[in-house]
């Protein structure tokens, strides 16, 4: 699989959708009843939920680490990161391994399929007021009658609170 | 200008020069008023030169003003290494004065106007020129003898090749045939980056070889083979530099080559002064190589700043031509350290020579150096010259460490996979298959050992490097120190060797600076005048042991404690055991040196050492006896990639505790446990009180685990012992270490992750972090709740754990009075 590096939004956080072609293939998954999508090029693999070794003194959403063929990678619980209540894992729960500069895993309820979404079908994220941070949403993708929230997975996983992981030990 | 005035000015110049030379020979770097005086004279000379080119030529004036500027920097304290700079300044001034005196002194001298001499290049303030001399009188063209010397010198110094002294310079019209070395700005082509990288690496190795060889030559100056050994690396560097157009390095090495060539052909005695000169060339070479290495980090920067070599080159040329006596230079330098002239700490003087000292400098303690002989002999050490090592024609190949690391990672995985296979039921039940798998196991183990061995490097060269350090430091400190080493064949992982270098340097410095007493004190204490520093490496109990031993004055707990109290590191009422007092030296900012020298005493040394060693997952312990000496014992794991650990279980999670830290494990009786109001639980182990750490609570995994029904592991923690309460000891295992990545690097108590035998991840514990986290918890009175994590156990529920919130409060103390335990 070739690795393409997609343009990053400008550092001020504004998304220049107009200058950026968001069309492409997205892997979609569910958290509760909401559907999300991630650029397929960032996805390395999908594995079923497995034993996760907990790491103490880390934020809530950091579930722990797993052994991925010899590499130890951190795993994030996306539900917790998005403020959703925790739920039991079942046989549909998956870990999506993404490459955001480093390998990380995210836990999702179910994985659906890969949709090819043309940029014409992608709209900028809704302005929901300052209470909701939408900086990590690339846009809203329309597939038939469904709307998928397309995530900027880099933003999601490399945001400030993850950097704050460093300081946990010093607390 | 009239002769009259000319003569006046000439004599004024002469007297200024002689005052200058006399004063600067007399004062030292601290004598600010003396320095100021000299500076004033320099200015005066420059001033004369402005109006009277005959009395003070342009070149001379320029040289003087350069020196004056350097003087200013020195006076203003802007120089990093004052003493050395001053010594060089002094040498340069004396040389200048001598030359001028010679030129001025002769009545009939006539030497011509200065020749070539371009001055300074690219705005550098270094003294680019060589010899002055000229036009003191309009006399005839026939050069007087002194003039000849000076002029000829000028001529020689200029070109790149050697010409015999005494060659008549061409007259004023023709420029000298030799030009002084003019450095050009260095530009490297980014396309050549690979070559340059290779150059830097190899140059480093050659420099190491040079340093070892220099000390060898110093020990046996008559030995031509050894001078050859010294000559060759310079020659190689010269070649490589030439190929890459590194002019400065190329010319510098060329000059030193010439000097050494004289030595090996018997035309020059290799005196201590020569050795010093060569060593200063080496230092300059290192700086040059460093500047090239820096270019590697920014290949597109363009011009590279390089340390000036012109003066050194000139000096070398002057020495080669016989115009300059290296020993005079050296005297200037060694006159600096107050008091006793130092002994070169020649590595084990098993041969009682130390002859080099005899001829060169006023080193009266030369006989003392020989006393080092008998004391060194008993220690069964091999001389620092590894007899066996560099075999000519050694077949070796350079490998990228990344490739090696990748290989070792893969081998690690291979071992795990193979273990899983060999344990599977299907294999075990089938005899034929079982045999085949056993065969595979054997082969895999062999591959593993080979892969590990590839990274192993003998520690010998690292120890050798200390020889030079000891020589320099002991000289500066005015003490006599003899360095002996043993176990230099001991092999360590390459990364460990790299990381251990700096800590060793610090500790050796400390040993000389703080440990070994001054010669007078030693004699008063009834010890031999020369102190001993001994470096040893060996295997002990499955680990590497490196020890540094000195027979100095040892550590005094009282002094350490007093200093720590003064620095506010501990409170006056704290009671410390002897070991704890020793451990104080590892506290940041701690230093008992009443005078900060430029080599140690800034209090930054030992805590960095400790950190380095902790990062290597090692341990350092101190054994000391006041008045007798101190020994530092560093224990390190054999390799970095694989760790021998004890797998333990707390709750559902498994952790690994490095076996090197475990002292013992036990299930204590209830009577042995005492609860302490503010400190939790303490275990009484044969009189020693060991704090217990509840890992389950600390990590938010479980509630309090009853030590008496489970296990307590007694582990080493910074010189003390702590007890870790765990639920189960699963077993000892060799596991492959994996880094957790930077995101997790600041976790207290966790130093990494490992892949366990069944492929799952286990976190590796690290005792000092655990202890710190435990203390913090205790003092703030909060337990580390794992935020909904505990007992993720049986069902993978994420709901809040019902058991969490009604945990019992901290143990109320029993009827026993609280026991104060110093938990630092």
């Amino acid at each position: 699989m070739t690795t393409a590096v997609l343009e990053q939004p400008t550092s001020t956080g504004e998304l220049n959708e107009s200058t950026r072609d968001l069309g492409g293939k997205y892997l979609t998954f569910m958290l509760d009843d909401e559907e999300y999508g991630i650029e397929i090029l960032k996805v390395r693999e999908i594995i079923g939920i497995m034993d996760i070794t907990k790491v103490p003194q880390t934020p809530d959403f950091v579930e722990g680490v797993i052994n991925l063929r010899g590499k130890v990678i951190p795993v994030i619980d996306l539900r917790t990161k998005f403020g959703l209540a925790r739920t039991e894992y079942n046989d549909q729960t998956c870990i999506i391994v993404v490459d955001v500069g480093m390998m990380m895993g995210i836990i999702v309820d179910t994985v659906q399929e890969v949709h090819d979404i043309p940029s014409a079908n992608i709209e900028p994220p809704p302005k929901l007021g300052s209470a909701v941070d939408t900086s990590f949403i690339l846009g809203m993708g329309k597939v038939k009658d469904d709307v998928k929230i397309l995530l900027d997975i880099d933003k999601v996983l490399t945001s400030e609170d993850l950097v704050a992981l460093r300081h946990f030990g010093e607390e | 200008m009239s002769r009259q005035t000319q003569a006046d000015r000439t004599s004024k110049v002469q007297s200024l020069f002689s005052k200058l030379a006399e004063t600067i020979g007399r004062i030292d770097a601290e004598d600010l008023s003396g320095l100021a005086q000299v500076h004033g004279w320099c200015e005066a000379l420059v001033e004369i030169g402005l109006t009277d080119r005959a009395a003070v030529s342009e070149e001379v004036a320029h040289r003087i003003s350069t020196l004056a500027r350097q003087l200013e920097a020195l006076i203003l304290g802007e120089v990093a290494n004052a003493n050395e700079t001053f010594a060089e300044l002094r040498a340069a001034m004396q040389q200048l004065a001598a030359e001028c005196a010679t030129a001025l002194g002769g009545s009939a001298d006539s030497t011509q106007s200065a020749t070539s001499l371009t001055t300074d290049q690219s705005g550098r303030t270094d003294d680019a020129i060589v010899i002055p001399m000229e036009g003191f009188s309009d006399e005839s063209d026939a050069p007087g003898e002194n003039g000849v010397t000076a002029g000829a010198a000028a001529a020689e110094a200029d070109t790149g090749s050697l010409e015999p002294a005494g060659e008549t310079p061409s007259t004023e019209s023709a420029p000298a045939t030799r030009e002084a070395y003019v450095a050009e700005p260095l530009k490297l082509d980014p396309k050549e980056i690979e070559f340059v990288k290779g150059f830097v690496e190899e140059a480093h190795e050659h420099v190491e070889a040079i340093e070892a060889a220099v000390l060898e030559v110093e020990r046996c100056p008559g030995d031509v083979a050894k001078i050859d050994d010294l000559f060759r690396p310079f020659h190689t560097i010269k070649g490589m530099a030439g190929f890459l157009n590194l002019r400065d390095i190329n010319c510098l090495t060329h000059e030193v080559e010439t000097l050494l060539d004289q030595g090996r052909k018997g035309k020059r005695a290799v005196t201590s002064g020569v050795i010093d000169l060569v060593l200063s060339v080496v230092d300059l070479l290192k700086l040059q190589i460093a500047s090239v290495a820096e270019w590697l980090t920014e290949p597109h920067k363009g011009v590279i700043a390089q340390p000036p070599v012109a003066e050194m080159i000139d000096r070398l040329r002057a020495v080669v031509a016989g115009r300059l006596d290296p020993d005079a230079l050296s005297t200037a330098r060694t006159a600096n350290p107050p008091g006793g002239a130092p002994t070169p700490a020649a590595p084990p003087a098993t041969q009682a020579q130390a002859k080099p000292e005899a001829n060169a400098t006023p080193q009266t303690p030369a006989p003392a150096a020989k006393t080092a002989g008998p004391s060194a002999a008993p220690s069964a050490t091999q001389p620092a010259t590894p007899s066996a090592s560099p075999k000519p024609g050694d077949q070796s190949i350079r490998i990228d460490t990344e490739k090696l690391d990748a290989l070792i990672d893969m081998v690690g995985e291979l071992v795990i996979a193979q273990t899983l296979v060999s344990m599977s039921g299907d294999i075990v039940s089938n005899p034929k298959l079982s045999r085949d798998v056993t065969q595979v196991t054997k082969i895999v183990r062999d591959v593993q050992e080979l892969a590990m061995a590839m990274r192993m490097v003998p520690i010998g060269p690292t120890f050798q490097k200390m020889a030079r350090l000891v020589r320099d430091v002991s000289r500066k400190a005015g003490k006599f120190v003899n360095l002996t080493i043993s176990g230099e064949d001991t092999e360590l992982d390459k990364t460990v060797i790299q990381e251990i270098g700096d800590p060793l340097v610090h500790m050796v410095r400390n040993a000389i600076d703080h440990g070994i007493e001054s010669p007078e004190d030693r004699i008063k204490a009834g010890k031999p005048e020369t102190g001993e520093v001994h470096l040893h490496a060996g295997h002990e109990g499955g680990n590497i042991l490196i020890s540094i031993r000195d027979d100095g004055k040892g550590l005094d707990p009282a002094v350490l404690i007093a200093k720590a109290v003064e620095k506010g590191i501990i409170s006056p009422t704290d009671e410390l055991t002897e070991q704890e007092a020793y451990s104080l030296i590892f506290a940041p900012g701690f230093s008992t040196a009443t005078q900060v020298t430029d080599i140690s005493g800034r209090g930054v040394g030992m805590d960095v050492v400790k950190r380095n060693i902790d990062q290597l997952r090692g341990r350092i312990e101190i054994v000391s006896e006041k008045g007798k000496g101190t020994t530092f014992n560093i224990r390190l794991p054999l390799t970095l990639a694989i760790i021998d650990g004890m797998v333990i279980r707390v709750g559902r999670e498994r952790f690994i505790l490095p076996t090197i830290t475990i002292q013992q494990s036990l299930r204590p009786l209830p009577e042995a446990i005492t609860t302490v109001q503010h400190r939790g639980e303490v275990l009484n182990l044969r009189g020693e009180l060991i704090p217990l750490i509840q890992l389950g609570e600390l990590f938010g995994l479980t509630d309090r685990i009853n030590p008496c029904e489970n296990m307590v592991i007694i582990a080493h923690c910074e010189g003390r012992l702590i007890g870790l309460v765990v639920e189960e000891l699963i077993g000892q295992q060799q596991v492959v270490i994996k880094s957790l990545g930077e995101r997790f690097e600041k976790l207290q108590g966790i130093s990494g992750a490992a892949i366990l035998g069944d492929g799952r991840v286990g976190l590796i514990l690290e005792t000092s972090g655990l202890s710190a986290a435990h203390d913090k918890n205790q003092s703030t009175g909060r337990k580390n709740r794992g935020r909904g994590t505990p007992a993720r156990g049986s069902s993978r529920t994420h709901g809040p754990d019902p058991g969490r919130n009604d945990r019992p409060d901290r143990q109320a103390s029993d009827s026993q009075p609280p026991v104060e335990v110093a938990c630092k």
Side-chain angles (χ1 to χ4, degrees):
Chain A
M1 158 153 67
T2 52
T3 322
V5 176
L6 290 174
E7 225 176 271
Q8 298 300 320
T10 58
S11 54
T12 54
E14 40 166 352
L15 299 177
N16 300 344
E17 287 91 5
S18 46
T19 56
R20 180 180 158 171
D21 182 9
L22 290 173
K25 294 189 172 15
Y26 289 83
L27 173 71
T28 54
F29 58 89
M30 307 275 290
L31 291 183
D32 271 351
D33 51 359
E34 287 179 348
E35 299 183 49
Y36 295 85
I38 315 182
E39 300 160 284
I40 194 69
L41 294 169
K42 301 224 173 234
V43 175
R44 284 283 159 267
E45 56 188 284
I46 303 169
I47 50 184
I49 191 73
M50 58 194 284
D51 273 348
I52 301 177
T53 303
K54 295 222 36 53
V55 179
Q57 300 164 24
T58 51
D60 273 2
F61 53 85
V62 177
E63 276 304 283
V65 291
I66 57 171
N67 171 14
L68 187 70
R69 280 190 312 283
K71 270 200 70 153
V72 173
I73 66 172
V75 176
I76 309 285
D77 182 64
L78 211 52
R79 291 180 65 103
T80 316
K81 185 86 171 57
F82 287 168
L84 299 172
R86 286 184 180 272
T87 178
E88 232 185 84
Y89 294 151
N90 54 37
D91 54 8
Q92 303 240 307
T93 316
C94 291
I95 299 179
I96 304 178
V97 180
V98 292
D99 185 352
V100 289
M102 60 181 277
M103 300 291 232
M104 289 183 79
I106 53 176
I107 303 175
V108 302
D109 292 352
T110 59
V111 169
Q112 311 211 281
E113 55 190 290
V114 178
H115 289 290
D116 198 344
I117 310 180
S119 45
N121 289 4
I122 301 179
E123 310 214 339
K127 305 256 180 293
L128 301 173
S130 56
V132 181
D133 180 10
T134 55
S135 62
F136 47 82
I137 299 180
L138 286 177
M140 312 296 282
K142 291 181 291 196
V143 177
K144 302 220 192 66
D145 291 329
D146 295 323
V147 178
K148 326 262 180 194
I149 307 169
L150 303 180
L151 293 175
D152 184 345
I153 198 65
D154 293 279
K155 279 251 171 75
V156 173
L157 295 181
T158 57
S159 61
E160 296 314 303
D161 21 334
L162 278 186
V163 171
L165 263 182
R166 282 179 176 255
H167 302 293
F168 259 85
E170 298 168 335
E171 206 167 282
Chain B
M1 33 192 153
S2 74
R3 286 283 159 93
Q4 187 82 9
T5 329
Q6 175 68 41
D8 279 346
R9 271 193 283 262
T10 310
S11 73
K12 178 135 206 271
V13 169
Q14 263 177 299
S15 88
L16 276 173
F17 266 122
S18 75
K19 276 198 281 201
L20 195 144
E22 186 267 336
T23 311
I24 197 132
R26 187 175 24 95
I27 62 174
D28 61 48
E30 329 289 345
D31 188 342
L32 289 182
S33 62
L35 288 174
Q37 257 193 324
V38 170
H39 185 260
W41 291 326
C42 289
E43 309 248 82
L45 282 165
V46 171
E47 181 112 32
I48 297 183
L50 284 177
T51 50
D52 189 348
R53 281 272 167 260
V56 179
S57 75
E58 190 165 331
E59 285 67 31
V60 174
H62 177 85
R63 261 173 97 184
I64 296 182
S65 76
T66 310
L67 289 173
R69 262 174 289 159
Q70 289 174 351
L71 249 186
E72 276 166 30
L74 192 61
I75 294 175
L76 292 172
E78 289 166 353
V79 174
N81 201 340
N83 284 331
E84 262 186 36
T85 312
F86 177 70
E88 284 176 14
L89 210 51
R90 165 196 293 167
M93 280 191 177
Q94 286 178 325
Q95 179 181 346
L96 180 56
E99 289 153 8
C100 293
T102 320
L104 288 172
S107 47
D109 57 352
S110 61
T111 45
Q112 309 327 327
S113 34
T115 53
S116 63
L117 311 208
T118 40
T119 47
D120 190 44
Q121 48 309 21
S122 25
R124 297 217 202 98
T125 56
D126 68 306
D127 213 355
I129 320 158
V130 160
I131 309 302
M133 278 29 298
E134 13 316 280
F136 284 110
S137 66
D138 320 322
E139 216 98 77
S140 62
D141 297 344
E145 35 181 282
N146 293 332
V148 168
T149 324
E156 275 170 36
D158 300 347
T159 46
S161 60
L162 253 193
E163 287 153 17
E167 169 183 324
T168 343
S170 35
T171 53
E172 56 207 30
S173 45
T177 43
R178 259 181 98 160
E179 276 159 18
Y181 181 76
V182 175
E184 281 163 11
L186 178 63
K187 274 172 125 58
L188 288 174
D189 184 356
K191 291 201 222 70
E192 298 194 326
I193 196 170
E194 282 306 315
F195 291 123
V196 176
K197 230 197 282 185
F199 167 80
V200 170
E201 281 176 19
E202 292 188 27
H204 274 137
E205 289 182 4
H206 288 303
V207 165
E208 282 180 19
I210 288 173
E211 289 195 309
V214 162
L215 295 171
E216 270 308 296
V217 170
E218 187 167 37
R219 273 190 320 127
C220 322
D223 191 338
V224 174
K226 299 211 156 115
I227 304 181
D228 245 348
D229 283 342
L230 182 53
F231 179 92
R232 260 174 300 132
F234 275 117
H235 186 76
T236 315
I237 295 182
K238 177 177 108 166
M240 297 194 296
F243 173 65
L244 287 170
N245 219 12
L246 298 167
R247 229 176 124 250
D248 281 357
I249 298 182
N250 178 279
C251 292
L252 186 60
T253 43
H254 173 81
E255 296 305 329
V256 103
E257 235 192 32
T258 317
L259 180 64
L260 290 174
D261 196 43
Q262 287 184 332
R264 68 177 177 175
K265 293 212 170 94
K267 285 202 240 156
R268 171 181 294 279
V270 181
T271 62
S272 167
V274 172
I275 298 284
D276 280 341
L277 185 55
V278 172
L279 282 175
S280 49
V281 170
V282 172
D283 287 336
L284 187 50
L285 201 54
K286 283 189 199 170
L287 289 177
Q288 275 280 331
I289 297 175
S291 70
V292 174
E294 215 185 287
W295 173 82
L296 284 173
T297 60
E298 278 182 76
H300 298 280
K301 198 160 81 161
V303 175
I304 301 138
Q306 290 187 290
V309 297
E311 200 205 314
M312 184 64 78
I313 289 181
D314 296 333
R315 198 183 304 170
L316 285 166
R317 286 178 180 167
V319 171
V320 162
R323 279 176 288 120
L324 190 55
D325 180 5
D327 297 320
L329 269 183
S330 193
T331 322
R333 272 201 202 143
T334 55
N336 249 340
T343 304
T350 44
Q351 321 71 336
Q353 10 49 329
K355 294 298 186 271
E357 290 47 78
N359 46 10
T361 41
Q363 299 191 25
T364 44
K370 297 193 173 79
T371 58
S375 50
S379 49
T381 64
Q382 295 94 336
T385 34
S387 38
S389 58
K391 300 187 258 297
D394 231 348
Q395 296 282 38
S396 61
I397 181 174
R398 288 183 153 285
I399 298 186
D400 208 340
T401 33
E402 270 181 40
K403 288 191 188 152
L404 255 191
D405 285 340
L407 178 65
I408 290 185
D409 274 349
M410 278 301 113
V411 169
E413 289 306 302
L414 181 60
V415 170
I416 291 175
Q418 173 266 320
T419 311
L420 285 175
V421 165
S422 66
M423 290 198 307
S424 117
D426 293 333
I427 304 291
V428 172
S429 56
N430 181 335
K432 165 100 183 43
L433 202 47
S434 185
R435 265 202 308 274
D436 290 338
V437 167
T438 312
Q439 179 69 348
V440 172
T441 310
K442 272 206 282 245
I443 297 175
V444 167
R445 296 265 179 254
D446 278 347
V447 171
Q448 186 186 31
E449 275 184 36
L450 274 174
M452 290 302 130
M454 278 201 282
R455 285 181 59 102
M456 302 295 259
V457 172
I459 199 172
T462 311
F463 280 178
Q464 312 287 21
K465 279 193 275 211
M466 300 294 147
R468 170 145 190 216
L469 175 73
V470 169
R471 181 186 193 272
D472 291 345
V473 173
S474 59
R475 267 195 182 196
K476 277 211 177 115
K479 302 178 183 170
F480 307 140
V481 180
N482 186 30
L483 175 72
T484 53
I485 56 183
S486 61
E488 62 240 41
D489 285 338
T490 310
E491 290 191 335
L492 276 70
D493 185 277
K494 181 168 165 60
T495 324
V496 174
I497 294 247
Q498 278 167 350
E499 300 287 322
I500 204 78
D502 274 351
L504 277 183
V505 164
H506 270 123
M507 287 193 280
V508 168
R509 271 192 180 153
N510 278 354
I512 298 177
D513 243 13
H514 304 312
I516 307 279
E517 313 93 324
S518 69
E520 304 85 52
D521 287 343
R522 285 186 69 89
I523 294 183
K524 268 191 252 167
K527 296 183 186 176
E529 205 179 31
T530 306
E532 292 281 323
V533 170
H534 182 76
L535 289 174
H536 168 80
H539 290 269
E540 199 183 88
N543 295 307
I544 301 276
L545 171 68
I546 299 179
S547 62
I548 298 145
R549 189 180 68 224
D550 69 70
D551 65 348
K553 60 180 193 264
L555 292 174
D556 185 349
V559 170
L560 295 175
I561 291 178
K563 205 70 188 178
V565 168
E566 190 188 310
K567 303 255 177 185
I569 299 174
I570 54 176
S571 80
T573 52
D574 281 351
E575 278 184 28
L576 269 59
T577 64
E578 204 177 60
Q579 270 300 317
E580 288 169 336
Y582 293 157
S583 303
L584 285 172
I585 64 177
F586 295 125
F590 184 94
S591 167
T592 52
T594 45
Q595 193 190 26
V596 171
T597 65
D598 64 352
I599 31 181
S600 47
R602 287 218 176 78
V604 295
M606 288 314 271
D607 68 317
V608 173
V609 166
K610 175 126 195 328
R611 212 175 321 139
N612 282 3
I613 294 186
D614 284 344
Q615 273 173 355
L616 291 172
R617 289 199 312 279
R619 246 176 42 218
I620 179 166
E621 55 184 48
I622 307 173
V623 178
S624 178
E625 197 181 331
K626 184 168 166 189
K628 292 271 175 61
T630 313
T631 305
F632 286 89
N633 285 325
I634 305 174
R635 276 171 227 285
L636 300 167
L638 268 178
T639 81
L640 292 185
I642 291 200
I643 189 179
D644 208 31
M646 179 70 74
V647 183
I648 59 179
R649 180 180 65 78
V650 176
R652 259 203 91 232
E653 301 298 324
R654 289 179 298 168
F655 296 91
I656 296 156
L657 192 56
T659 346
I660 191 177
T661 56
I662 300 182
Q663 199 220 42
Q664 63 174 292
S665 49
L666 64 145
R667 179 173 291 177
L669 297 170
E671 301 83 75
I673 312 274
T674 319
T675 48
V676 172
Q677 218 158 28
H678 300 294
R679 303 276 191 181
E681 296 170 303
V682 168
L683 169 68
N684 183 343
L685 189 66
R686 288 186 292 276
E688 196 175 339
L689 292 174
I690 302 175
L692 290 184
I693 298 181
Q694 289 279 345
L695 280 180
E697 284 182 347
L698 190 64
F699 290 154
L701 298 168
T702 66
D703 292 337
R704 175 179 176 273
I705 298 171
N706 186 349
C708 308
E709 289 166 15
N710 294 278
M711 293 292 281
V712 172
I713 300 183
I714 313 286
H716 292 279
C717 170
E718 290 172 341
R720 329 165 257 133
L721 292 175
I722 56 172
L724 303 170
V725 184
V726 305
E727 281 183 302
E728 188 186 341
L729 233 58
I730 298 179
Q732 206 166 350
Q733 213 180 0
Q734 279 200 330
V735 289
V736 179
I737 305 195
K738 301 288 175 183
S739 153
L740 277 172
E742 341 182 292
R743 283 151 190 266
F744 297 106
E745 69 185 11
K746 290 274 171 55
L747 296 176
Q748 265 186 333
I750 309 276
S751 67
I755 312 277
L756 299 170
D758 63 358
R760 286 175 51 191
V761 177
L763 296 174
I764 301 174
L765 299 175
E766 174 269 313
T767 51
S768 53
L770 288 178
S771 171
H774 171 77
D775 285 349
K776 207 156 49 175
N777 273 355
Q778 299 295 63
S779 54
T780 59
R782 80 178 154 88
K783 303 294 186 190
N784 205 338
R785 285 162 200 238
R787 297 164 237 249
T789 41
R792 273 215 150 205
S794 33
S795 66
R796 299 206 182 105
T797 341
H798 296 244
D801 188 347
R804 243 16 230 146
N805 295 328
D806 45 72
R807 48 198 331 282
D809 216 337
R810 223 173 311 137
Q811 287 84 5
S813 63
D814 298 343
S815 48
Q816 294 159 326
V819 177
E820 248 322 296
V821 176
C823 269
K824 287 270 172 342

